[in-house]
Amino acid sequence: MELDPIFLSRVQFAFTISFHVLFPAFTVGLAAWIVVLEGLWWGTGRDVYGQLSRFWTKIFAVSFGMGVVSGIVMSFQFGTNWSVMSQQTGNVVGPLIAYEVVTAFFLEATFLGVMLFGQNRVPRGLHFFSSLMVAIGTLISTFWILSANSWLQTPGGFERGPDGVFAVVDWWQVIFTPSFPYRLAHMVTGAFLTTAFVVAAVSAWHLLKRRTVPHAQIGLSMSLGLICVLAPLQIFIGDLHGLNTLEHQPTKVAAMEGHWERQRGASLILFGLPDMEAETTHYEIAIPKLSALILTHSLDGETPGLLDVAPEDRPYAPVVFWTFRIMVGLGLVMLAIAVWSLYLRARGRLFDSPVFLRTLVACLPIGFIAILAGWFTTEIGRQPYMVYGLLRTADAATPSLSGWSVLVSLLAFIVAYGVIFPSGVYYMVRLVQGGPDTGEIRPPGLAEGRPQHQKRPLSVPEESLEPAE
């Protein structure tokens, strides 16, 4: 049986990155949430904030570890499965990834230990500073990763030699490509929304179970407040991102919309089944003029169609069409939750509506699903190119790659991930069920926020360094 190594390599990359992207997306928002709690604890002296910080820091530690492990796998695949891509784009993508390691990873590694284990051992101000540095590190990491991805989507600042190798001529154009600001803002906002919905769901679950009620009320109120700000903001950013994509990747937009003909005053297709062979979308349920209005801000604006390019240059429209609708649909659900929460808050029933609280619990994965749907829309919509318009995916794979070797490695990843990730998720569920530790945060050796034990234990004269007899 003949196996397609390129198709299997794409499946393998999609499988591993689908796991990986969930953890950074969660930890970016969670790190910021912990910083806010640490700041409130430091500023107000109320232990409830410190207890909440300690609770979410445990979950952050598990998520961060799983994100690092899954991220390491990603870099290996560039060498094993996509060596031509690595060789041709290494001058551009390699330094961007290296900047991420040097700036973000080192910053996180320096302060992560203090953040995870220092709450009872260092002054509150230092612990807040360490948490802040870790949170900034996650954002810097997002900056460089999105910069590299945006360059693959809308490349700039390079010249290409006769051997196909990309060489940098302007780093500013490499880092700040036309799609980068929109892509970065969309991803960071999505990460914060993902965390906000997890915090809201966990808090709602604790309220339903009548556990640690003061902590749950704080978590619910603050997370819903953030959702009320970010849900409409994300829709606005998404609109700007769509306009930018229309300008630089019109074929992707045509696949997202399910449009085959270039036309004026295009309808917005709510439901349909794009057919790549028949070059049409079956069973359309559409709203006239709305697609043109959204994409061009004009009822008679012109929108692209998939027939504008040759069949071999089109992305696989059925997947792009539906993942885009899932992402948009979940964004509208987020907006509805925000409006509902404002109504309940105004009536003083934010913590007392069982239907609303159960809905929030059900919405726990909504941010993760939206991010995955958006990621598939972006990456599958970029096909058939690895570097948009310049390097085809089929030409970027390792020439010596065999289908069977990729299949074996893919199965190995499935088995390994099938053991590691459910274990991590199970542990996080147990942490969530346990809830915050409500014990007083006044550990032995700390008074007025200053450690009373020796700062240099090995220099204490009465302690011997000789091994015990």
Side-chain angles (χ1 to χ4, degrees), residues 220-221 224 228 336-360:
L220 190 72
S221 178
L224 288 174
C228 287
I337 292 291
V339 174
W340 193 1
S341 73
L342 287 175
Y343 172 77
L344 291 175
R345 194 188 293 266
R347 294 175 63 88
R349 297 188 55 222
L350 189 62
F351 310 125
D352 304 325
S353 172
V355 176
F356 180 64
L357 295 178
R358 291 193 186 97
T359 302
L360 287 178

Side-chain angles (χ1 to χ4, degrees), residues 163-393:
D163 54 356
V165 174
F166 293 85
V168 175
V169 296
D170 188 332
W171 273 111
W172 285 106
Q173 293 186 30
V174 167
I175 297 171
F176 298 99
T177 59
S179 66
F180 172 66
Y182 306 96
R183 204 178 300 280
L184 178 65
H186 202 42
M187 188 66 189
V188 170
T189 307
F192 277 76
L193 276 170
T194 299
T195 304
F197 270 94
V198 172
V199 173
V202 171
S203 303
W205 187 80
H206 284 150
L207 281 176
L208 287 169
K209 297 294 182 182
R210 307 308 299 170
R211 296 178 182 173
T212 57
V213 171
H215 303 73
Q217 288 180 342
I218 290 174
L220 190 72
S221 178
M222 294 177 67
S223 58
L224 288 174
L226 186 64
I227 291 169
C228 287
V229 174
L230 293 186
L233 178 64
Q234 180 70 317
I235 293 173
F236 175 70
I237 294 172
D239 179 61
L240 296 179
H241 190 15
L243 296 176
N244 180 266
T245 306
L246 178 66
E247 179 179 356
H248 297 282
Q249 296 176 301
T251 308
K252 180 191 291 187
V253 171
M256 291 160 58
E257 297 295 317
H259 291 160
W260 293 88
E261 303 280 352
R262 176 174 286 274
Q263 55 187 309
R264 289 189 173 276
S267 303
L268 177 66
I269 302 175
L270 300 177
F271 178 87
L273 299 176
D275 187 331
M276 297 296 289
E277 292 187 2
E279 297 183 339
T280 187
T281 300
H282 301 293
Y283 311 114
E284 287 187 9
I285 299 176
I287 301 176
K289 303 285 187 179
L290 188 55
S291 180
L293 179 63
I294 294 173
L295 289 173
T296 67
H297 294 183
S298 169
L299 289 174
D300 293 319
E302 186 179 62
T303 53
L306 286 166
L307 295 178
D308 290 350
V309 298
E312 61 270 21
D313 293 335
R314 300 171 191 164
Y316 189 65
V319 174
V320 179
F321 178 86
W322 278 109
T323 54
F324 176 66
R325 271 147 191 76
I326 292 172
M327 178 185 67
V328 173
L330 292 177
L332 295 177
V333 171
M334 293 178 183
L335 182 63
I337 292 291
V339 174
W340 193 1
S341 73
L342 287 175
Y343 172 77
L344 291 175
R345 194 188 293 266
R347 294 175 63 88
R349 297 188 55 222
L350 189 62
F351 310 125
D352 304 325
S353 172
V355 176
F356 180 64
L357 295 178
R358 291 193 186 97
T359 302
L360 287 178
V361 174
C363 285
L364 186 147
I366 191 172
F368 296 110
I369 299 173
I371 282 180
L372 280 180
W375 192 262
F376 287 154
T377 302
T378 296
E379 299 307 314
I380 298 175
R382 174 167 40 126
Q383 299 301 318
Y385 294 103
M386 184 70 82
V387 181
Y388 195 74
L390 298 170
L391 176 62
R392 287 180 176 273
T393 304

Side-chain angles (χ1 to χ4, degrees), residues 31 34-35 38 115 126-136:
I34 292 171
V35 169
E38 285 289 326
M115 174 186 172
L126 178 57
H127 195 254
F128 167 77
F129 180 76
S130 300
S131 302
L132 179 63
M133 290 300 102
V134 172
I136 291 175

Side-chain angles (χ1 to χ4, degrees), residues 45-68:
R46 294 180 59 192
D47 279 353
V48 64
Y49 295 115
Q51 292 158 353
L52 271 173
S53 171
R54 187 165 54 190
F55 169 67
W56 286 106
T57 298
K58 294 176 185 175
I59 297 173
F60 175 87
V62 180
S63 304
F64 188 86
M66 294 170 74
V68 170

